[in-house]
Amino acid sequence: MKKENRYISVLWLLLAESAVSAAVIGIFALLVAFLPEMPSILYDGNFYEVITGAVLGVAATVTNFFALCYTVNRAVDKYMTVRGDSEMDEEEAQKFANENAVRVQMEVTKSYILRTLILVAACALLFTGWFNVITVVIPMLVQRPLIILIEKMKGGNA
C-alpha cells in the first residue's frame, strides 16, 4: 500500500459512517414527529441524546479503524525495515519469517487490545445517560459492511 494512500480508507469510513448516522438521526426525527409515544427504550424524550449517540458511534468506529490501520502499517514498516532490501533465497526468507513472526503477532495482539478498549470505552459511556444506545450501536454494526463496500469501490480486497 502506498504511504500517501494508507489512511484514505479511514476518511472514506468517516464519510460513510457520518452518512449512516445522519440517516439514523433523520429516522429518529421522523419517528418522534409521527410517533410521539415511542417506548422509552428507543427514545426517552431527549433528542440531544440521539445526536450525541450518533457522534459517539461514529467517533468510536472511526477511531477503532484508524487504530487498526496505524498499528498494522507500523508493524509492517518495522518488519520491512528489519528485512531490508536485499534478496533472500527461500531458506533465508523462511528463517527470517520464523524469527520475526512473534514480533508481528505481538503487534497484532496489542492492536486488538487497543481496539477492544476503544469499543468498551464507548459502550461504558452509554451508562452516563448522555447517549442514545441505538444511535451508538448502529455505526458499530455497519462498520464492517462499510469497510467491505469501500474496499470494493476502491477495487481492493477487504
Side-chain angles (χ1 to χ4, degrees):
M1 182 181 283
K2 297 177 187 171
K3 283 192 178 194
E4 62 271 6
N5 293 329
R6 282 185 170 179
Y7 302 106
I8 196 75
S9 293
V10 176
L11 178 61
W12 281 111
L13 181 65
L14 172 64
L15 294 172
E17 288 281 7
S18 296
V20 167
S21 291
V24 170
I25 290 170
I27 291 168
F28 262 90
L30 288 172
L31 288 173
V32 168
F34 293 109
L35 299 171
E37 299 298 322
M38 280 200 308
S40 62
I41 189 125
L42 295 176
Y43 177 74
D44 66 358
N46 296 319
F47 201 76
Y48 78 91
E49 291 177 4
V50 172
I51 295 169
T52 57
V55 170
L56 177 62
V58 170
T61 56
V62 172
T63 303
N64 179 290
F65 187 60
F66 175 77
L68 171 68
C69 292
Y70 178 78
T71 55
V72 168
N73 285 328
R74 191 177 70 191
V76 169
D77 287 346
K78 283 181 186 178
Y79 184 79
M80 294 307 289
T81 300
V82 171
R83 184 194 180 285
D85 293 333
S86 63
E87 289 291 321
M88 292 184 179
D89 62 23
E90 192 173 316
E91 184 177 305
E92 290 173 325
Q94 184 65 35
K95 180 182 175 192
F96 178 80
N98 290 340
E99 289 172 353
N100 291 284
V102 172
R103 284 188 221 160
V104 172
Q105 185 60 41
M106 283 177 37
E107 291 293 324
V108 170
T109 301
K110 286 192 288 187
S111 169
Y112 178 77
I113 292 169
L114 172 66
R115 293 180 306 110
T116 300
L117 289 174
I118 290 168
L119 296 179
V120 167
C123 290
L125 285 172
L126 292 174
F127 294 105
T128 64
W130 299 341
F131 308 98
N132 179 282
V133 174
I134 293 171
T135 58
V136 172
V137 172
I138 288 176
M140 291 179 183
L141 293 176
V142 300
Q143 178 184 14
R144 184 66 185 154
L146 288 176
I147 291 169
I148 291 169
L149 180 65
I150 289 166
E151 291 302 317
K152 283 189 182 200
M153 289 174 59
K154 286 175 35 181
N157 295 327

